[in-house]
Amino acid sequence: MNKMQSWSVAQLQETDPYEFEKLLAQLFRNMGYLVEETQLSRDRGIDLIIRIDHFGLTHTWIVQAKRYTDSVGVKAIREYSSLRHRDRVDGVIIVTTSHFTKEAQEEAAEHNVKLIDGNLLAGMLNHYLPSGNTADQSAGVPGEDDRKPESSTVLRIGEEIISREIVSLEKERYTMVISNKNIFFKKETNGLLSKKESVELRILLKDLIGIHVEKQHLFLIAGRKDLTVYPLSGKSKDKIAEILENLRPEYIRGEHLILSSRKSSSMTILTNKRLVLLEIGDSITKEIMLSKIVEMEVEGGFLKRDRLMISESSAGMNKHYLEVDDIHRWKEKIEQNVKVN
């Protein structure tokens, strides 16, 4: 039987920061703690929150990871010791791959801050998590593989996952996570200890203007000042369209889509505020605020395709020509929203 390699300080210092946090989370799980590794905690300057229950009494600790080669000084102790008062926890644990200065150790002793240096950490890992064996060894404590996939998504208070779908966006494969507040596009890569999911793109649901649906594609139209079109494809296209349609009350409170038309890589978009022409994946090429439109007329005739002439009052009188299918419907919808504006 081959002898299992021991963890060393040098090995820990070379570990990827993301994997180092994952390693600490698994260590504390194997020690019997319930571990929370959420982006919400990181927003408050925290890497992990660990809890353990003894006969009905729950003890909660904040864990801060410092994957350093240089020593950790008193400044870090003072910075993180205050978290135990702000977050109403029992104490703070600072873990480093290096060591703590004498002043840092004295400061920690005064403020109930527990310190784990590189040598102690390596010893703990060799006892609870031998190198090469990252499986959860504590009965009844959920391990990495037992957690729901959405637990690694950046969720806010009151946010709930609605669906996870595999899609193609600009020829790249993503997991599209739809919540009641956000749309995430995530990629999965293999890490040292586990599969790592990274959020490559996030669209706030309130910034979604609407969706344009075609037989093979679904286009998300989003933005505030500048609009962006995200072309999606995949087997779950229709399901995604249905979910986003059901979520319309969450994003139609402000600017929202009235009509849209696509020709090759160009898209014409009518919202309740403006008429926009843009190239998919690029910036807006033309924008007309509905409040500036003073006149419209359908032009055309024999052997000529109908087009809509739009007169805009902006630094003088400007004329624009719009060519889309069902031009009379577009004219009607523009007129209706011009009156509102």
Side-chain angles (χ1 to χ4, degrees), residues 22 37 40 60 63 98 101 125 153 203 223 235 239-240 266 300 317 341:
K22 287 288 185 184
E37 37 179 337
L40 180 61
T60 304
V63 179
S98 60
T101 64
L125 287 167
T153 303
I203 302 172
K235 295 180 180 179
K239 180 182 177 182
I240 294 170
S266 300
M317 191 65 69
N341 284 270

Side-chain angles (χ1 to χ4, degrees), residues 12-225:
L12 294 172
Q13 290 176 345
E14 293 175 358
T15 304
D16 175 82
Y18 175 88
E19 298 295 345
F20 182 60
E21 289 184 22
K22 287 288 185 184
L23 181 64
L24 292 182
Q26 194 63 59
L27 168 64
F28 285 112
R29 285 194 181 96
N30 284 16
M31 292 174 67
Y33 289 89
L34 292 172
V35 180
E36 178 185 345
E37 37 179 337
T38 66
Q39 187 68 34
L40 180 61
S41 65
R42 189 171 289 112
D43 286 346
R44 303 198 306 268
I46 304 165
D47 292 318
L48 301 172
I49 299 175
I50 62 173
R51 296 181 176 88
I52 196 164
D53 184 89
H54 287 300
F55 304 103
L57 295 176
T58 301
H59 299 274
T60 304
W61 293 76
I62 285 171
V63 179
Q64 181 65 33
K66 295 290 184 184
R67 191 188 61 88
Y68 287 176
T69 54
D70 297 331
S71 59
V72 179
V74 69
K75 182 180 178 181
I77 308 301
R78 290 171 180 165
E79 179 182 355
Y80 295 110
S81 64
S82 62
L83 292 176
R84 67 189 180 94
H85 302 294
R86 189 178 71 182
D87 291 271
R88 298 180 181 179
V89 297
D90 295 292
V92 176
I93 301 172
I94 300 179
V95 184
T96 185
T97 52
S98 60
H99 60 278
F100 298 92
T101 64
K102 182 180 178 181
E103 292 80 6
Q105 295 176 44
E106 292 172 352
E107 186 76 16
E110 292 181 13
H111 297 285
N112 194 30
V113 176
K114 306 302 180 184
L115 305 180
I116 300 176
D117 64 14
N119 289 324
L120 177 57
L121 176 59
M124 293 169 67
L125 287 167
N126 287 324
H127 181 77
Y128 289 101
L129 194 67
S131 181
N133 180 14
T134 59
D136 192 347
Q137 300 167 356
S138 56
V141 179
E144 287 293 308
D145 294 334
D146 298 321
R147 295 188 302 149
K148 294 181 180 179
E150 52 264 35
S151 62
S152 61
T153 303
V154 185
L155 298 182
R156 305 298 180 189
I157 296 173
E159 185 171 8
E160 297 179 356
I161 297 294
I162 296 172
S163 183
R164 292 171 60 96
E165 308 296 336
I166 302 300
V167 298
S168 291
L169 171 61
E170 296 179 348
K171 299 182 180 180
E172 294 282 342
R173 186 176 184 270
Y174 292 91
T175 299
M176 181 180 181
V177 182
I178 305 173
S179 79
N180 59 332
K181 294 183 182 293
N182 291 284
I183 300 171
F184 301 95
F185 290 89
K186 305 174 70 175
K187 274 192 173 181
E188 188 177 88
T189 56
N190 291 320
L192 176 66
L193 301 174
S194 60
K195 288 186 177 180
K196 175 181 176 182
E197 278 191 328
S198 59
V199 176
E200 301 291 318
L201 172 67
R202 182 182 73 154
I203 302 172
L204 294 174
L205 194 63
K206 64 181 181 180
D207 287 346
L208 189 65
I209 301 296
I211 59 175
H212 175 86
V213 183
E214 296 181 359
K215 186 175 181 179
Q216 299 294 331
H217 294 89
L218 170 68
F219 298 84
L220 305 185
I221 304 169
R224 295 185 183 180
K225 182 179 178 181

Side-chain angles (χ1 to χ4, degrees), residues 207 209 222-228 255 274 276 284 287 289:
D207 287 346
I209 301 296
R224 295 185 183 180
K225 182 179 178 181
D226 296 322
L227 298 185
T228 303
E255 185 176 17
R274 53 184 162 169
V276 174
I284 292 174
E287 179 181 72
M289 302 306 295

